[in-house]
Amino acid sequence: MTDTEERTEEKTDKKETGKRAMTEEELRTREIEKSIIKRFRKEIWRPFVRALNDYDMIKEGDNIAVCISGGKDSMLLAKCMQEILRHGKMEVGLKFLVMDPGYNPENRKLIEENAKTLGIPIHIFESDIFNVVVDVDDSPCYLCARMRRGNLYANARELGCNKIALGHHFDDVIETILMSMLYGAQVNTMMPKLHSTNFPGMELIRPLYLVKEADIMAWKDYNHLRFLQCACRFTEESTRRENEELSKRKEMKKLIAGFRKTNPYIETNIFKSVGNVNLDACIGYVKNGERHNFLEEYDR
């Protein structure tokens, strides 16, 4: 958004205020929105817009289901998508989709209250995913994640959407790269967008791909907001049982924090490494599910 657009927005605000007095709730919503564009312009707004542009995430005529879990990331994503619709030049449709997989009443209430405070018109649908996976001993979190993703795709399609937007951020990407290397013995990353294999014509996008978690936390604290930390029934009902992937992600966070003490650019370097893969110096790689070895072309 240019300085001219900012001045136009301020004039529009004054006109709206002149027509009628804004309620306290509306004023709070407006201040939260302005904080994204102004106070956190460098940390949030610019990386958000850059990701949309660099990875060609949005096209004219798209209908996008912004998936809201109730946490800080998805709530910020919803606000950023509203702002890009307001300031952008493309005509796109937005739906704000909340799946209740069996939340406790307090958690659902918090989501609804935050959506009202932030001015997000959410569409809630219910599922029994928590009940389905509660007795599963083998990888319940993996099953839960797959079921949640499938439900989101299905409901987004029913609403006429061709894309779903998730709130994964830069730190998620870096942690995924390290986890794949240290625990999966491969080099993988969390992609900025993906075509769905089970829902033809549907696509997944991650608009917060370049936004750092620390900046999302700073935005949350600046606006005195409180979001869900984790509404998973496993973490709510059992302190003995810890999600294995969550544990690994915590380990990656600690590892990166240690690296950062000696190299402040460590995250950027890790991120750039998966965009600068030198196949001339790789022992092997996988392309379209087929494994290749450097010896195939070694003597050519």
Side-chain angles (χ1 to χ4, degrees):
M1 186 172 64
T2 64
D3 292 337
T4 301
E5 288 173 325
E6 283 189 10
R7 289 193 293 271
T8 301
E9 180 189 359
E10 290 175 357
K11 290 179 181 178
T12 301
D13 287 345
K14 291 177 181 178
K15 287 181 181 178
E16 290 177 353
T17 306
K19 292 179 182 178
R20 65 171 178 81
M22 297 179 75
T23 66
E24 285 189 19
E25 192 171 76
E26 289 173 328
L27 285 170
R28 175 152 166 70
T29 301
R30 199 70 195 101
E31 287 305 311
I32 293 171
E33 292 169 347
K34 285 183 178 179
S35 72
I36 297 173
I37 299 293
K38 297 181 179 179
R39 172 64 178 79
F40 293 93
R41 185 177 186 82
K42 178 182 177 182
E43 297 86 356
I44 292 176
W45 182 248
R46 285 178 179 170
F48 165 72
V49 173
R50 187 166 73 250
L52 293 180
N53 292 332
D54 287 356
Y55 303 111
D56 195 23
M57 292 189 188
I58 298 178
K59 298 182 184 298
E60 190 81 26
D62 276 343
N63 283 303
I64 304 167
V66 181
C67 301
I68 299 174
S69 66
K72 65 185 188 315
D73 308 325
S74 60
M75 284 293 191
L76 173 62
L77 171 62
K79 291 310 300 176
C80 286
M81 294 299 286
Q82 283 182 322
E83 290 301 301
I84 203 68
L85 186 62
R86 178 184 298 171
H87 303 297
K89 297 180 180 180
M90 282 190 186
E91 289 294 328
V92 298
L94 292 179
K95 299 288 184 182
F96 300 95
L97 197 57
V98 176
M99 178 178 65
D100 183 345
Y103 289 141
N104 286 335
E106 296 82 3
N107 288 332
R108 174 155 171 168
K109 182 181 179 182
L110 180 59
I111 293 174
E112 293 171 340
E113 289 176 346
N114 279 328
K116 186 177 181 182
T117 297
L118 295 170
I120 304 170
I122 57 176
H123 173 85
I124 301 178
F125 72 93
E126 298 179 355
S127 72
D128 61 350
I129 291 177
F130 281 177
N131 288 331
V132 171
V133 303
V134 71
D135 295 321
V136 175
D137 293 325
D138 186 21
S139 302
C141 298
Y142 174 75
L143 176 61
C144 180
R146 284 185 61 86
M147 291 179 68
R148 287 164 71 106
R149 184 74 57 83
N151 271 266
L152 288 170
Y153 270 124
N155 280 271
R157 188 165 61 182
E158 284 184 12
L159 292 174
C161 298
N162 64 310
K163 293 180 179 179
I164 66 171
L166 301 185
H168 295 118
H169 49 64
F170 185 79
D171 295 60
D172 292 322
V173 180
I174 304 306
E175 291 157 16
T176 298
I177 295 170
L178 287 182
M179 284 170 61
S180 73
M181 294 175 67
L182 300 180
Y183 287 101
Q186 55 187 332
V187 178
N188 278 345
T189 188
M190 180 180 284
M191 298 297 287
K193 64 179 184 178
L194 291 168
H195 288 293
S196 172
T197 54
N198 297 322
F199 294 85
M202 296 289 291
E203 192 175 357
L204 179 155
I205 60 174
R206 295 183 168 107
L208 297 183
Y209 199 74
L210 301 178
V211 179
K212 295 182 178 180
E213 185 176 25
D215 295 322
I216 298 176
M217 289 291 293
W219 170 79
K220 175 184 77 71
D221 294 340
Y222 177 83
N223 289 291
H224 307 291
L225 295 166
R226 182 176 71 90
F227 299 115
L228 287 185
Q229 293 296 319
C230 179
C232 174
R233 187 172 297 173
F234 294 111
T235 55
E236 286 180 341
E237 297 181 357
S238 175
T239 57
R240 295 178 293 102
R241 188 172 184 175
E242 186 175 15
N243 179 343
E244 184 179 353
E245 181 178 347
L246 180 60
S247 178
K248 285 188 173 66
R249 285 197 175 275
K250 287 181 179 178
E251 185 180 343
M252 294 303 105
K253 288 181 185 294
K254 290 181 180 179
L255 188 63
I256 293 169
F259 286 148
R260 197 185 298 123
K261 292 178 181 178
T262 56
N263 183 355
Y265 306 107
I266 191 70
E267 291 110 321
T268 301
N269 289 340
I270 294 172
F271 180 78
K272 287 183 176 179
S273 70
V274 293
N276 292 315
V277 178
N278 184 359
L279 292 183
D280 292 331
C282 282
I283 295 174
Y285 63 95
V286 177
K287 177 69 174 177
N288 296 326
E290 184 178 342
R291 187 171 296 278
H292 298 272
N293 187 283
F294 82 104
L295 291 174
E296 294 173 8
E297 298 183 358
Y298 182 74
D299 290 322
R300 292 181 184 177

